[in-house]
Amino acid sequence: MSDSNSQHFDNIFMSICLKLAATALGETYPNPLVGCVIVKDGEIIGEGYHQKAGGPHAEVNAINSIKDKRILSEATLYVNLEPCCHHGKTPPCSDLIIEHKIKEVVVGSLDPNPKVAGKGVQQLMNAGCNVRVGILEDECKWINRRFFTSFLKKRPFIILKWAQSTDGFLSPEKREAKAPVWITGKESRKLVHTWRSEEQAILVGINTVLADNPSLTTRLVKGNSPHRFVIDPHGKTPADAAVLDKTASTAIISNVKAPKWPIAGNVTWIESQNDLIATVLDIAHKNDLQSIIIEGGTNTLQRFIDADLWDEARIFTGHNAFGSGTVAPTLKATTVNQYTIEQDQLKILIPNRAEV
């Protein structure tokens, strides 16, 4: 087989690994998204993906899907992330690959976890395995961008999300009630709830709590609600705020002591004299929260933008104009995708940085 044909099939099989891995988005934290296919004579004979933290890894599920394990010695294993080589909640995948005498392993990207970080590949090579690394590497790093950011930047992956009118306002100047002003349609709002189920945390500022009284849950879809953060410098969060209900855990980050009203067991009030955004990111990282979606107002969003503390932006534009009101944030970014959802337009942007 020519090198070009070999690369073509490598790309195909690695793409399948990525599709398998993506199946578990939002379910594997703090573990990465990993898919695996096993190929013999150009045919897939086994596949699997990591479904939940603490459960079998992708390589284990793929190997277990094959009844006659004897043929594994003639097969090639594809996996989008380097096989682990350390004992965690499950045994090392590298040991299992060696045990079944799989002689060829194709890896998308190395694992940034210092416990692995090339050691898995080296162990396989030391056992006589032919290992190739770097197939669809950018795509493999992107699917695990939350995992990579956590290890390489020591903070969560940060997603900015907002909806704006056609003339660039987050909300109109005059509002009749303490409730959200819907800019987008039902399908867009449902998509936002799906996004919430895929991330570990969500953050707003106190102005959003006071103006909209949001719940910040996944009530429109099936899925876990993210941990809620509220940046509240002066302790203005009211006792009846929706973010204090029992549907999810909440942390109020403030420069002042907790108020006198009773604080429920799922609510934590954290007093800090440091920068409150830095405090949130430090707390998130120490608690293995690998991602935060920011749904705050302009001030909160702009603070993250100005501090260059964001990795992806998801911006809806509705079909109505407000004429005046709260101006949407501004950022310098590259648009990587655009979608039409009913009458709404959605842009996905990334910072102008040369990194994952």
Side-chain angles (χ1 to χ4, degrees):
M1 186 183 296
S2 68
D3 289 344
S4 59
N5 281 338
S6 177
Q7 183 176 0
H8 173 69
F9 284 108
D10 281 350
N11 289 347
I12 289 175
F13 294 131
M14 192 59 70
S15 294
I16 296 171
C17 289
L18 292 170
K19 288 180 181 178
L20 288 168
T23 305
L25 181 57
E27 300 295 330
T28 65
Y29 294 119
N31 293 353
L33 295 165
V34 185
C36 177
V37 297
I38 300 173
V39 178
K40 182 179 181 294
D41 299 328
E43 301 271 343
I44 294 177
I45 60 172
E47 62 180 39
Y49 65 95
H50 182 45
Q51 299 176 21
K52 198 172 188 65
H57 288 189
E59 299 93 324
V60 176
N61 287 330
I63 289 171
N64 286 343
S65 72
I66 299 171
K67 290 184 178 180
D68 185 0
K69 302 292 192 292
R70 293 173 297 179
I71 63 175
L72 286 167
S73 62
E74 303 170 10
T76 299
L77 183 145
Y78 287 81
V79 63
N80 60 288
L81 189 69
E82 178 182 10
C84 65
C85 57
H86 66 286
H87 284 271
K89 292 182 179 179
T90 59
C93 292
S94 55
D95 286 354
L96 187 66
I97 293 169
I98 293 168
E99 175 189 337
H100 287 288
K101 298 181 173 59
I102 300 174
K103 294 299 184 183
E104 186 167 20
V105 176
V106 182
V107 176
S109 66
L110 295 179
D111 191 327
N113 185 342
K115 294 179 180 179
V116 188
K119 300 182 184 72
V121 165
Q122 189 61 55
Q123 183 181 355
L124 294 173
M125 293 174 65
N126 291 344
C129 187
N130 176 28
V131 184
R132 289 181 284 126
V133 180
I135 306 301
L136 298 185
E137 184 174 13
D138 288 344
E139 292 88 341
C140 291
K141 287 183 176 180
W142 180 250
I143 196 173
N144 278 313
R145 54 198 181 276
R146 301 159 182 85
F147 185 73
F148 273 78
T149 299
S150 180
F151 278 102
L152 300 180
K153 294 188 176 181
K154 309 301 180 187
R155 66 163 174 82
F157 186 88
I158 299 170
I159 300 167
L160 309 180
K161 172 265 164 185
W162 72 82
Q164 61 188 28
S165 62
T166 54
D167 48 355
F169 295 100
L170 297 190
S171 61
E173 188 169 350
K174 294 183 179 180
R175 305 177 60 159
E176 296 181 0
K178 183 180 177 181
V181 176
W182 297 118
I183 295 174
T184 56
K186 290 183 179 179
E187 288 304 311
S188 294
R189 297 201 292 273
K190 187 176 179 180
L191 176 59
V192 169
H193 284 229
T194 298
W195 289 345
R196 290 176 181 176
S197 74
E198 295 169 350
E199 310 307 330
Q200 287 190 278
I202 188 168
L203 181 146
V204 296
I206 183 58
N207 290 338
T208 296
V209 171
L210 296 175
D212 298 343
N213 195 27
S215 296
L216 306 179
T217 61
T218 57
R219 60 195 178 278
L220 298 183
V221 299
K222 290 184 179 180
N224 298 323
S225 290
H227 178 80
R228 301 174 292 200
F229 284 106
V230 176
I231 294 182
D232 181 6
H234 306 296
K236 294 181 179 180
T237 301
D240 61 350
V243 291
L244 303 179
D245 65 19
K246 296 181 180 180
T247 55
S249 59
T250 301
I252 311 295
I253 314 299
S254 182
N255 292 134
V256 301
K257 293 181 179 180
K260 294 181 180 180
W261 46 258
I263 295 179
N266 66 307
V267 177
T268 305
W269 189 285
I270 299 172
E271 181 187 356
S272 174
Q273 299 309 311
N274 298 321
D275 177 80
L276 297 186
I277 286 180
T279 300
V280 167
L281 299 186
D282 183 59
I283 291 169
H285 182 66
K286 287 179 178 177
N287 286 277
D288 283 331
L289 298 176
Q290 293 180 3
S291 63
I292 299 182
I293 186 165
I294 312 298
E295 292 194 22
T298 296
N299 290 340
T300 300
L301 289 160
Q302 197 67 55
R303 285 184 64 192
F304 278 89
I305 294 168
D306 292 345
D308 196 26
L309 288 172
W310 69 282
D311 304 289
E312 184 178 345
R314 302 171 182 179
I315 304 173
F316 289 98
T317 301
H319 64 283
N320 293 324
F322 289 158
S324 62
T326 304
V327 179
T330 57
L331 49 70
K332 295 180 180 179
T334 300
T335 300
V336 293
N337 275 308
Q338 298 186 63
Y339 307 94
T340 299
I341 304 172
E342 296 181 320
Q343 297 185 69
D344 305 327
Q345 300 300 313
L346 169 63
K347 284 187 177 183
I348 309 296
L349 304 95
I350 58 173
N352 296 324
R353 307 187 199 121
E355 58 186 54
V356 172

